[in-house]
Amino acid sequence: MNLTTSSLICQWEPGPETHLPTSFTLKSFKSRGNCQTQGDSILDCVPKDGQSHCCIPRKHLLLYQNMGIWVQAENALGTSMSPQLCLDPMDVVKLEPPMLRTMDPSPEAAPPQAGCLQLCWEPWQPGLHINQKCELRHKPQRGEASWALVGPLPLEALQYELCGLLPATAYTLQIRCIRWPLPGHWSDWSPSLELRTTERAPTVRLDTWWRQRQLDPRTVQLFWKPVPLEEDSGRIQGYVVSWRPSGQAGAILPLCNTTELSCTFHLPSEAQEVALVAYNSAGTSRPTPVVFSESRGPALTRLHAMARDPHSLWVGWEPPNPWPQGYVIEWGLGPPSASNSNKTWRMEQNGRATGFLLKENIRPFQLYEIIVTPLYQDTMGPSQHVYAYSQEMAPSHAPELHLKHIGKTWAQLEWVPEPPELGKSPLTHYTIFWTNAQNQSFSAILNASSRGFVLHGLEPASLYHIHLMAASQAGATNSTVLTLMTLTPEGSELHIILGLFGLLLLLTCLCGTAWLCCSPNRKNPLWPSVPDPAHSSLGSWVPTIMEEDAFQLPGLGTPPITKLTVLEEDEKKPVPWESHNSSETCGLPTLVQTYVLQGDPRAVSTQPQSQSGTSDQVLYGQLLGSPTSPGPGHYLRCDSTQPLLAGLTPSPKSYENLWFQASPLGTLVTPAPSQEDDCVFGPLLNFPLLQGIRVHGMEALGSF
């Protein structure tokens, strides 16, 4: 219910989307009960297209009487109605907000306290006859603070003093009201009112530190830093340094008035102490005395510093004995950027502290000078300083490579290490890279103490690109690229290489030939090994014969018979005989006669045996004879394709066999040579190749 327009505004939610054209109609009726009985109907209210609210004029309303209200929705598929709402129009009255304003100053009224605001408001005129309550909200303009709610405000009073605010701070304030204790709706928030709180004198502690100039000891540079004692310590407009002469009671002489945190002034010769205060429009803080005394206390020891991260430094020390009351820590950029005006300092009140983490005004890759001074009762100790980097950097550049010597397949390089730099991390190692013309890269890692390196395995007459990388824990950097070409081989060296290669090939061939000639397994497949009768071991070889196999032939002495072969004679026709490797045949006029091997067959020969190692059987002769023939035995030799006694001619004729004429059995009866063959008959005495003959068929030798 809006009392300004005297109309009842109803609004609703349309519900889910039907995707069909839908019309809404606000329906209502008057009722004297709880809307159980319908009274006079009220004219329907049809909203504009797209709107979800409708206004019932005052002429259709009956105040302080219930009425039933509902919404009907209709489309092509049907009609739907909302639940019915039963209410009194005055129970839903929404008032207009009051107007906030500042109280006019009054000479009788006391000025507002620090952190307080005095304000008042004017209520909405049409709602003066309605009982109501109000509430206030405020927030500071600076920052992103949230609204703070204050209420309910007193009913009868139209003014209010708001305290507990920050001094010297601008605030935004708003107010709203509601019908009370009867039902109603909160009004909208009033337009904003901006007010500023009054100031309060600064409530701070001033930590001070001073330094005298070396050229002029009476010129003092005083530093201070305000430390709030409360959450709301008041705004500081400036600082005043003053001193009180001893002979002038109540006189205060200012030495410095500034808004900075330091001041340089000339200290009077009779002054040993000055006072420092902070002030604003509401007053001054408590004076802080500064006593200028000499350094008579013990100094701290083992001052050291290290970087924790790129934006902080840790400084540590060993406290002296006795324990100091505190420490003053100063830090700033070191040389060559050192400046006393840009130094940052801090006072550590804990005398038993052994270190402090510096986080203020620390930038990476910078050299800082840190000064620590112990503070004692009415004196201080000598200052100690140390230098440290917040973060070390990689080497600015790597050493330059120089070529010292070069060959066809190697190159010797050298370099001069760079001197250590402040703020640069120490080198950990070198890495040398070289790339050939085919873009193949190679590398080698060297110690940080290396001064040179020799590249091996290079190709002659080839181009190489080389560079050196110097690395530390903070990073790495590369040197300039060195380009070189290896030497070309000379002609004489090429001839020497070819000569050595030819000699090696010749030695390989000779070794291969000797291996083939000396190895029997390799020699026999290439050419056959022909036995040499002249150096044969058969002449002296005597097989082992058991005693029971030896028997005597009558009339022929004592030599034993080692082997007898008996051939029966065919009286009608001669027995044909074929020689090994020959197509010729020899006639056999008589049967084979036994052959007597003279000498002891068990005697061991002293002749060395042949090393030929061949197992080829060669037919040199055959023994012929008859047991009934009174004449001496004969032998038969046939021509063979195998050379005999290393000769290249066929077997010798009968007149050439002079060796048999010296036989100890007497004169040989040599038959005439035949025209049909070259067979020769003769005695078989001491024939060296027929030793070891065994006799088969001894049962046929009846008379033996």
Side-chain angles (χ1 to χ4, degrees):
M1 181 68 180
N2 190 338
L3 296 181
T4 303
T5 59
S6 298
S7 60
L8 182 64
I9 302 175
C10 299
Q11 58 184 9
W12 61 88
E13 295 180 0
E17 179 63 39
T18 62
H19 303 286
L20 291 175
T22 304
S23 62
F24 295 91
T25 303
L26 178 66
K27 295 181 175 294
S28 59
F29 65 88
K30 299 178 182 179
S31 177
R32 294 186 179 274
N34 296 328
C35 301
Q36 300 295 331
T37 304
Q38 183 175 353
D40 297 336
S41 298
I42 301 176
L43 186 64
D44 294 342
C45 181
V46 179
K48 297 181 181 180
D49 293 340
Q51 292 183 353
S52 298
H53 60 86
C54 196
C55 181
I56 301 176
R58 170 70 178 84
K59 62 183 179 179
H60 299 301
L61 298 177
L62 184 62
L63 300 181
Y64 303 106
Q65 184 179 351
N66 290 338
M67 61 183 298
I69 306 173
W70 74 95
V71 178
Q72 176 179 303
E74 183 178 4
N75 60 14
L77 298 180
T79 303
S80 178
M81 291 184 297
S82 70
Q84 182 176 300
L85 183 64
C86 185
L87 54 87
D88 181 357
M90 290 302 295
D91 290 343
V92 292
V93 169
K94 182 178 180 181
L95 304 176
E96 292 294 330
M99 296 295 296
L100 278 175
R101 63 182 181 85
T102 307
M103 291 183 59
D104 296 332
S106 173
E108 293 84 7
Q113 299 179 1
C116 292
L117 291 175
Q118 293 179 351
L119 56 121
C120 63
W121 61 89
E122 295 179 0
W124 180 51
Q125 293 297 328
L128 289 178
H129 64 281
I130 301 176
N131 295 329
Q132 53 186 301
K133 68 176 181 180
C134 303
E135 63 182 11
L136 184 71
R137 69 177 185 178
H138 61 86
K139 69 175 182 178
Q141 293 183 357
R142 61 187 181 185
E144 297 180 357
S146 58
W147 289 97
L149 192 62
V150 179
L153 301 179
L155 298 179
E156 298 80 7
L158 296 180
Q159 61 183 13
Y160 185 73
E161 185 178 14
L162 181 63
C163 295
L165 305 179
L166 297 176
T169 304
Y171 280 87
T172 301
L173 300 97
Q174 291 178 334
I175 191 173
R176 68 176 181 177
C177 298
I178 189 176
R179 183 188 180 202
W180 189 83
L182 298 178
H185 289 286
W186 281 102
S187 67
D188 295 331
W189 288 103
S190 67
S192 298
L193 175 66
E194 296 182 358
L195 295 177
R196 188 179 184 87
T197 58
T198 58
E199 291 185 333
R200 60 183 300 184
T203 55
V204 294
R205 185 190 77 234
L206 297 176
D207 293 337
T208 60
W209 174 243
W210 56 273
R211 184 184 300 112
Q212 291 177 325
R213 289 185 178 181
Q214 296 180 355
L215 299 180
D216 187 4
R218 302 308 298 177
T219 300
V220 178
Q221 187 176 13
L222 182 63
F223 305 92
W224 57 86
K225 184 174 295 184
V227 179
L229 298 179
E230 300 177 4
E231 183 180 358
D232 179 20
S233 60
R235 184 175 62 96
I236 299 177
Q237 293 181 339
Y239 302 92
V240 174
V241 179
S242 60
W243 73 288
R244 186 189 302 271
S246 58
Q248 301 177 9
I252 298 177
L253 301 179
L255 297 177
C256 183
N257 189 351
T258 179
T259 58
E260 304 294 332
L261 296 178
S262 63
C263 179
T264 302
F265 54 89
H266 183 77
L267 184 66
S269 58
E270 63 275 11
Q272 299 295 329
E273 180 181 341
V274 296
L276 174 66
V277 295
Y279 67 90
N280 58 16
S281 59
T284 63
S285 64
R286 296 182 57 183
T288 301
V290 180
V291 180
F292 302 99
S293 60
E294 298 180 357
S295 300
R296 296 189 300 268
L300 50 84
T301 58
R302 299 190 63 180
L303 181 65
H304 59 278
M306 61 180 297
R308 285 290 180 88
D309 54 64
H311 298 279
S312 66
L313 282 171
W314 170 262
V315 55
W317 58 83
E318 287 188 2
N321 191 11
W323 295 90
Q325 293 183 347
Y327 301 92
V328 173
I329 308 169
E330 301 175 84
W331 66 93
L333 293 177
S337 303
S339 176
N340 291 331
S341 60
N342 295 329
K343 285 186 179 296
T344 306
W345 67 279
R346 175 185 177 89
M347 180 173 291
E348 175 60 44
Q349 300 291 338
N350 184 11
R352 295 184 177 272
T354 58
F356 190 78
L357 184 63
L358 308 179
K359 295 182 178 180
E360 186 180 357
N361 296 334
I362 300 296
R363 294 178 297 171
F365 310 115
Q366 298 292 333
L367 177 64
Y368 286 91
E369 181 184 13
I370 305 172
I371 304 173
V372 181
T373 306
L375 302 178
Y376 301 93
Q377 182 70 28
D378 299 332
T379 186
M380 62 182 180
S383 302
Q384 303 291 332
H385 71 278
V386 66
Y387 293 93
Y389 276 93
S390 55
Q391 184 178 5
E392 294 179 334
M393 294 183 293
S396 57
H397 53 274
E400 184 178 357
L401 285 173
H402 299 282
L403 179 63
K404 187 175 182 180
H405 299 290
I406 191 170
K408 303 172 187 61
T409 59
W410 60 274
Q412 184 178 2
L413 306 174
E414 64 178 3
W415 59 86
V416 178
E418 297 293 332
E421 300 180 70
L422 291 175
K424 303 298 188 298
S425 180
L427 295 181
T428 57
H429 64 277
Y430 291 108
T431 304
I432 187 169
F433 300 88
W434 65 95
T435 306
N436 57 15
Q438 290 76 26
N439 204 24
Q440 296 177 339
S441 298
F442 308 91
S443 63
I445 299 177
L446 310 175
N447 294 330
S449 59
S450 300
R451 301 295 182 267
F453 186 70
V454 179
L455 304 179
H456 293 285
L458 307 181
E459 297 180 0
S462 299
L463 191 67
Y464 287 89
H465 303 282
I466 310 169
H467 73 274
L468 185 68
M469 182 181 73
S472 66
Q473 293 182 352
T477 183
N478 293 331
S479 67
T480 56
V481 178
L482 175 65
T483 303
L484 57 85
M485 177 174 285
T486 54
L487 301 180
T488 305
E490 299 178 359
S492 59
E493 296 181 355
L494 185 60
H495 294 162
I496 293 175
I497 295 175
L498 293 178
L500 292 176
F501 179 74
L503 181 59
L504 181 61
L505 183 61
L506 179 59
L507 290 176
T508 303
C509 294
L510 292 178
C511 292
T513 304
W515 178 67
L516 291 175
C517 293
C518 295
S519 178
N521 296 333
R522 300 295 183 269
K523 179 174 66 175
N524 291 334
L526 299 179
W527 57 82
S529 178
V530 180
D532 187 2
H535 299 86
S536 174
S537 63
L538 293 178
S540 59
W541 176 78
V542 178
T544 304
I545 301 176
M546 305 299 294
E547 277 190 34
E548 57 268 22
D549 293 340
F551 59 91
Q552 301 291 333
L553 291 180
L556 294 179
T558 60
I561 299 300
T562 59
K563 183 177 182 183
L564 294 179
T565 303
V566 179
L567 302 177
E568 294 184 358
E569 179 181 7
D570 189 358
E571 296 179 356
K572 295 181 182 182
K573 56 183 178 181
V575 180
W577 173 81
E578 294 180 0
S579 62
H580 183 66
N581 296 333
S582 177
S583 61
E584 298 179 358
T585 59
C586 297
L588 303 175
T590 59
L591 294 176
V592 178
Q593 185 179 347
T594 59
Y595 171 68
V596 179
L597 178 63
Q598 297 184 5
D600 188 1
R602 297 177 178 86
V604 180
S605 173
T606 59
Q607 281 185 318
Q609 299 199 10
S610 172
Q611 301 296 331
S612 63
T614 180
S615 62
D616 299 338
Q617 296 180 359
V618 182
L619 185 60
Y620 294 103
Q622 208 165 23
L623 188 64
L624 300 178
S626 175
T628 59
S629 176
H634 297 79
Y635 70 93
L636 174 64
R637 295 192 66 181
C638 296
D639 291 333
S640 173
T641 58
Q642 301 283 353
L644 186 62
L645 298 176
L648 300 178
T649 60
S651 298
K653 305 299 180 178
S654 59
Y655 56 85
E656 296 176 351
N657 290 332
L658 301 180
W659 179 81
F660 295 99
Q661 298 178 5
S663 175
L665 295 180
T667 305
L668 290 175
V669 180
T670 305
S674 174
Q675 299 295 330
E676 301 176 358
D677 53 282
D678 294 333
C679 297
V680 180
F681 300 91
L684 301 178
L685 302 177
N686 296 332
F687 199 83
L689 301 180
L690 296 180
Q691 298 184 22
I693 296 178
R694 293 183 62 86
V695 178
H696 300 280
M698 294 190 303
E699 63 275 1
L701 303 178
S703 58
F704 290 83

